[in-house]
Structure formats: structure tokens, C-alpha cells
């Protein structure tokens, strides 16, 4: 069942600005992952944060995880036109032991205006 | 990182025919692969979990006789859309994990855009 919910559903900002997307989920998780999808293409894995981690960085990406609130945020700093894409959070439930598929949020469509 | 190859990337077929989509893990073995479906401007929905050497596990609402899954080897899973209809037109994506436990990233194929006419 769909449990991840991203907000906003769409975000348009100027190049160079920071973009923040949020995700909420409902069940206990092993980890939460963020993916990027360019229009009509496959998914690109961005970052994985484990349930015992609170913050993680990768280049211009910063992800936070608050398991008490069952929420995560993805921050993209100094945005570029090439960052225009849809961004999805996905959770791996802790009951699955790694054998379950991911549950995806509805996604945030990010547009970077040049 | 690990690579998952999906083929074909797009296919157009006539109503009533069957279409097979292949998902291969190129540089690792995957005992479990996953099949997702994505409608335009929507999120990915898990359809089924493909287990090597055993029957696939289907999510609620997914017809197992409609979407046949075969996972005959540790590097290949196939999804066959049988007797396709226009409402089956969608983007199908597979993924696999290179298992080191539960906390590993999932690698996705490039997706297959199916259009049934």
C-alpha cells in the first residue's frame, strides 16, 4: 500500500536556490531512500538513510530522518537546471527483513528555472 | 554501483497479444527482484516480488494470471503481460537488491514503456 507522502507535489524555484522536499510514512522502517526520475525514465538512487541515522549528506544533497515523526526531508542546495526531475522517497519496512519491495511516495516534481 | 538491465525499453503491441519484459542483474546475483508499475504522473506501485526458484508473491489487486513472473536464475526475472489490453499501457520497472542485509539500496532497471493499441 502507498504510504509515503511527499510535499509539495510540485516545486518551482530559480537556479541557485535551495529546494526542500518532505516525505512522511506510516510504518516502522529499516531505511528510507530517495530517488530521482527524469521524465519517462528509470530511477536513479540518490541516498539511503538507515532508521538509526538522523542526517546524511551526499554532495549537494542533505537528507534528514525523524523516526518519531515518521518523516524525512531532502534538501538540494545550489540547485541547477539539471536537477529538474521528479523526486520520490521510498521506504523499506522493518517487518520485511529486506525481502520486501519498496513503498514509494507520490513524488515531488521539481522544476529549476534558469 | 550494481547494474540492472531491463529490456525492451519500449514496446507497442496489439490488444490481445502477450508481451515479455526481461530484467537482468548484470554484475550481481539477485535472489529477489521486484516489479513495479507506474502510470503517467503517478508514483510507482509494487506489483509483485519475484523469488528465484519459487512462485512470485503478488500484491493485492494484481492478477497473477495476467502478469506472469518467472525467475529462473539468479540474474534474470521476466514479466509477461498476457492478453494485453489498452488499460495495461503503463511504465513497468524492475529492481533488485545486492543483498548485504536489509539496509541496502535497490537498483532499478531503465523501465519499459508498454503501449497497447
Amino acid at each position: 500500500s502507498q504510504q509515503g507522502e511527499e510535499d509539495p507535489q510540485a516545486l518551482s524555484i530559480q537556479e541557485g536556490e535551495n529546494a526542500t522536499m518532505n516525505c512522511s510514512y506510516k510504518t516502522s522502517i529499516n531505511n528510507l531512500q530517495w530517488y530521482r526520475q527524469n521524465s519517462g525514465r528509470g530511477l536513479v538512487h540518490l541516498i539511503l538513510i538507515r532508521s538509526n541515522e538522523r542526517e546524511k549528506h551526499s554532495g549537494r544533497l542533505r537528507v534528514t530522518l525523524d523516526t518519531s515523526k515518521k518523516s524525512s526531508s531532502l534538501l538540494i542546495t545550489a540547485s541547477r537546471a539539471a536537477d529538474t526531475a521528479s523526486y520520490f522517497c521510498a521506504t523499506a519496512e522493518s517487518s520485511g527483513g529486506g525481502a520486501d519491495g519498496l513503498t514509494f511516495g507520490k513524488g515531488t516534481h521539481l522544476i529549476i528555472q534558469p | 554501483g550494481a547494474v540492472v538491465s531491463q529490456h525492451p525499453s519500449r514496446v507497442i503491441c496489439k490488444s490481445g497479444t502477450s508481451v515479455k519484459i526481461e530484467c537482468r542483474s548484470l554484475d550481481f546475483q539477485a535472489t529477489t527482484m521486484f516489479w513495479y508499475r507506474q502510470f503517467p504522473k503517478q508514483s510507482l506501485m509494487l506489483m509483485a516480488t519475484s523469488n528465484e526458484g519459487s512462485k512470485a508473491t503478488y500484491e493485492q489487486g494484481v492478477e497473477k494470471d495476467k502478469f506472469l513472473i518467472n525467475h529462473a536464475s539468479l540474474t534474470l526475472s521476466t514479466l509477461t503481460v498476457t492478453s494485453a489490453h489498452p488499460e495495461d499501457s503503463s511504465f513497468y520497472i524492475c529492481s533488485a537488491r545486492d543483498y548485504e542485509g536489509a539496509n541496502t539500496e535497490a537498483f532499478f532497471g531503465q523501465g519499459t514503456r508498454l503501449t497497447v493499441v
Side-chain angles (χ1 to χ4, degrees), chain A residues 2 30-31 37 98 102 105, chain B residues 34 36 38 43 45 97 99 103:
Chain A
Q2 192 86 352
N30 274 325
N31 63 68
Q37 183 181 37
L102 297 175
Chain B
F34 307 93
Y36 296 84
Q38 184 181 33
S43 187
M45 295 294 291
R97 279 204 185 108
Y99 273 101
N103 278 315

Side-chain angles (χ1 to χ4, degrees), chain A residues 55-69:
Chain A
E55 188 172 310
K56 205 162 184 180
H57 297 256
S58 177
R60 293 184 297 114
L61 306 180
R62 172 177 170 258
V63 167
T64 64
L65 178 65
D66 187 335
T67 52
S68 66
K69 295 181 179 178

